[in-house]
Amino acid sequence: MPYAIGLNSGSSFDGVDAVLIEINQAEDGSVLPPKYIDALSIDWPEDIQKEVLAAFDDTLGIFKLTRLNYVCGAVFAQAATELMKKHNLTGTDIDVIGYDGQTIYQEPPEHAQMQKYTADKPFYEMWTKYGYPCGLQIGEPGVVSVLTDAPVVTQFRSVDHTLQGTGAPLMQYFDYVLFRNVGPTATLNIGGISNLHLACADRSKMRAFDCGPGNVMIDQAMRVLYGKEYDANGETAARGTIYQPMLDEMLEHPFFKREIPRCAWRLDFGAEYTQQMLDKYAELSNEDKLATITAFTAEAIVRAFNEFVVPAGLGVNRLIASGGGVRNDTLMKMIAERLPEGVALETSDAIGVPPQYKEAIKFATIAFSTKRSIADNIPAACGAVKFGILGKLVLPPSQAKLTD
C-alpha cells in the first residue's frame, strides 16, 4: 500500500504538522479511507515566525516575501524529512507529499458579483471587477520536492477559486472519502478559524463552510492579556463569566451575513478585531474577556450548525470534531451544551483519526487523488461550477528522465 505524507500549518500558525499514512484505491478507482501510521510536529523557527506574522499584517514587503516563500518551503521539507527518517524511508518510498502552504492572505468570493461575469469579457476582469476569490499560500513546492526527493502536490485553492468556489474550507473531499459508505455525518474543524462540513454519499447534498473564529481570537487574547500562546485546556476561560453584551456585539460581525459557502480569514477575526473588542470592554476582568471570546467561538459554531446543517434534513446525530481546539475543554463543553438535543459531540479519535492531525491527513489524501487525476473538490459544498483537480504537482530530481 502506498505511503503518503501530509503537512499542515494552519491559521493558528503554531507549528508544522507532518503525518505519515498508507492510502490506496478501490477496484473502481475511488480513494479508500487512509490508515494513519505516525506523525510529528516541529516549531516554526522564531525569526521565520516573525516574518510570517509581518506578512499576515502586510508589512513585510515583496522582496522579503519572495525569499520567505522559499524559506517556508524548507521548513515544510524539514518536517517531512524528519518523519521519513524516523521510519527509515526515503523520497522514493513516498507516493506523494501533500500540503497547502502557509496561508498569508485569503479574499472571499463575492457571489452576486461573480454571476455578472460573462465569457465575452477579459479573463483578468474576473478578479478586477467581478469578485472572484483569491489567496496566497507560501512554501515553495520546488524546494520541498528537491529536498525530500518526493513528488509534491500543493496550493490546492486556485483551481477552485477560478471555478467560482471558495477554496476554503478544504476538508469536504476527505470527509467524502471517510464517510461516503457510512451515512450522513457532520464534522467540525477548530483551527484558527472553525469550519463545518456535511458529508454523505450524494455529493450534491454535501456542505462545507467556515463558521467564524476558532482559536484565533482566543490565542490572540491570551498573548495580549497573559503573554501566553494559548489557553491551555480553556482553564482561563473556565474561571470567567460570559458578558452577554460583548458576546451579542461580536455575533453582529459582518461575516455572519455572508452566504454559504463562505470563508473567513485573520482579517475577519484576527489581531485587529480582537484588540478592538478587548479595548471596548476593558472594564471586564481578563477571565471574563476570555470566557466571552471562547463563548463567541462556540456560539458561532452552533449557530452555523443550526442554520445550515439541521435544515438539510439528513438526520445527523453526531458532530465529529478535530483540530487544535478540541484540546480546549471549556470550548468543547460550551459547544456540547449548545448543540440541539440528540446531537453528540465527539472527536475524530472515534474514527481512528487523531484530531490534531486530521488537517495534515486531509492534504495527503487530496494530493494522492490529484496525482491520479481524481476530482477532489465538491462543487455543492464549495460553490464551484464543476468538478476539478486541485493543486500543483512538482516531480523530484530522481524522476527526471534524460533524452538524447
Side-chain angles (χ1 to χ4, degrees):
M1 185 177 290
Y3 290 117
I5 288 177
L7 307 171
N8 181 58
S9 177
S11 50
S12 291
F13 188 56
D14 50 4
V16 177
D17 298 328
V19 63
L20 180 66
I21 63 170
E22 288 183 338
I23 186 168
N24 215 336
Q25 294 174 268
E27 290 185 3
D28 63 1
S30 61
V31 176
L32 294 167
K35 177 184 177 183
Y36 167 79
I37 298 174
D38 194 16
L40 56 79
S41 300
I42 66 171
D43 293 331
W44 282 97
E46 188 173 344
D47 55 337
I48 307 307
Q49 191 173 39
K50 289 178 181 177
E51 291 201 341
V52 173
L53 291 171
F56 287 161
D57 295 332
D58 195 22
T59 60
L60 188 64
I62 188 62
F63 298 157
K64 289 184 177 180
L65 182 60
T66 299
R67 181 173 293 275
L68 184 62
N69 177 43
Y70 284 68
V71 169
C72 287
V75 175
F76 283 119
Q78 190 75 51
T81 300
E82 289 186 13
L83 185 58
M84 289 158 60
K85 287 180 178 177
K86 184 178 178 182
H87 290 269
N88 296 314
L89 300 172
T90 67
T92 57
D93 298 313
I94 305 300
D95 181 85
V96 69
I97 295 174
Y99 69 100
D100 192 43
Q102 178 60 55
T103 296
I104 298 298
Y105 177 70
Q106 189 160 284
E107 195 169 290
E110 297 177 28
H111 297 285
Q113 195 67 9
M114 283 194 300
Q115 304 313 311
K116 298 177 183 178
Y117 178 79
T118 54
D120 61 316
K121 295 180 171 64
F123 292 157
Y124 70 84
E125 289 188 355
M126 293 176 176
W127 289 275
T128 60
K129 293 184 178 180
Y130 291 97
Y132 275 63
C134 61
L136 176 65
Q137 285 76 36
I138 62 173
E140 176 54 45
V143 171
V144 179
S145 186
V146 169
L147 294 179
T148 62
D149 199 32
V152 165
V153 178
T154 186
Q155 297 175 3
F156 300 107
R157 301 175 197 267
S158 58
V159 167
D160 202 54
H161 286 160
T162 311
L163 290 171
Q164 300 187 17
T166 56
L170 284 171
M171 189 66 76
Q172 53 267 30
Y173 174 72
F174 181 43
D175 280 352
Y176 173 72
V177 170
L178 288 176
F179 300 115
R180 67 174 180 264
N181 295 321
V182 174
T185 306
T187 71
L188 166 67
N189 186 70
I190 312 173
I193 300 298
S194 60
N195 37 72
L196 273 169
H197 322 88
L198 178 58
C200 61
D202 183 351
R203 281 177 281 191
S204 70
K205 296 180 179 179
M206 289 183 63
R207 299 290 181 268
F209 52 89
D210 287 346
C211 309
N215 303 312
V216 64
M217 289 187 68
I218 298 170
D219 293 349
Q220 180 62 21
M222 287 298 295
R223 291 187 195 102
V224 171
L225 300 175
Y226 293 95
K228 297 180 179 180
E229 290 300 310
Y230 59 93
D231 185 10
N233 298 319
E235 292 175 359
T236 305
R239 295 195 296 268
T241 300
I242 297 167
Y243 186 60
Q244 196 63 40
M246 180 180 176
L247 177 59
D248 290 342
E249 178 172 350
M250 291 189 289
L251 288 168
E252 292 298 317
H253 192 289
F255 166 81
F256 299 108
K257 295 179 174 60
R258 296 177 193 166
E259 303 173 16
I260 65 162
R262 65 187 183 194
C263 56
W265 181 233
R266 299 176 72 99
L267 294 181
D268 291 305
F269 300 108
E272 183 177 349
Y273 182 69
T274 304
Q275 192 62 54
Q276 178 185 333
M277 290 296 102
L278 294 178
D279 290 344
K280 184 166 185 178
Y281 294 94
E283 76 280 2
L284 298 180
S285 70
N286 289 347
E287 289 83 359
D288 289 354
K289 292 172 188 173
L290 258 296
T292 306
I293 288 172
T294 302
F296 178 39
T297 290
E299 191 69 31
I301 289 168
V302 175
R303 280 195 176 192
F305 184 90
N306 289 333
E307 290 177 9
F308 306 119
V309 175
V310 172
L314 297 180
V316 172
N317 58 14
R318 65 197 299 213
L319 178 59
I320 301 175
S322 61
V326 303
R327 293 175 291 189
N328 185 323
D329 294 340
T330 300
L331 174 59
M332 292 291 282
K333 181 180 178 182
M334 287 182 176
I335 296 169
E337 290 173 345
R338 289 165 168 77
L339 282 172
E341 186 177 354
V343 178
L345 180 64
E346 307 174 43
T347 72
S348 60
D349 285 315
I351 57 170
V353 176
Q356 67 271 37
Y357 296 124
K358 190 183 179 192
E359 291 258 48
I361 299 172
K362 165 192 74 179
F363 288 134
T365 304
I366 297 174
F368 180 85
S369 301
T370 291
K371 191 163 176 268
R372 287 154 179 80
S373 301
I374 296 171
D376 45 16
N377 69 338
I378 307 287
C382 64
V385 295
K386 59 184 175 182
F387 286 99
I389 303 167
L390 305 183
K392 305 170 186 178
L393 172 65
V394 177
L395 298 177
S398 62
Q399 295 187 17
K401 296 178 179 179
L402 297 177
T403 60
D404 294 334

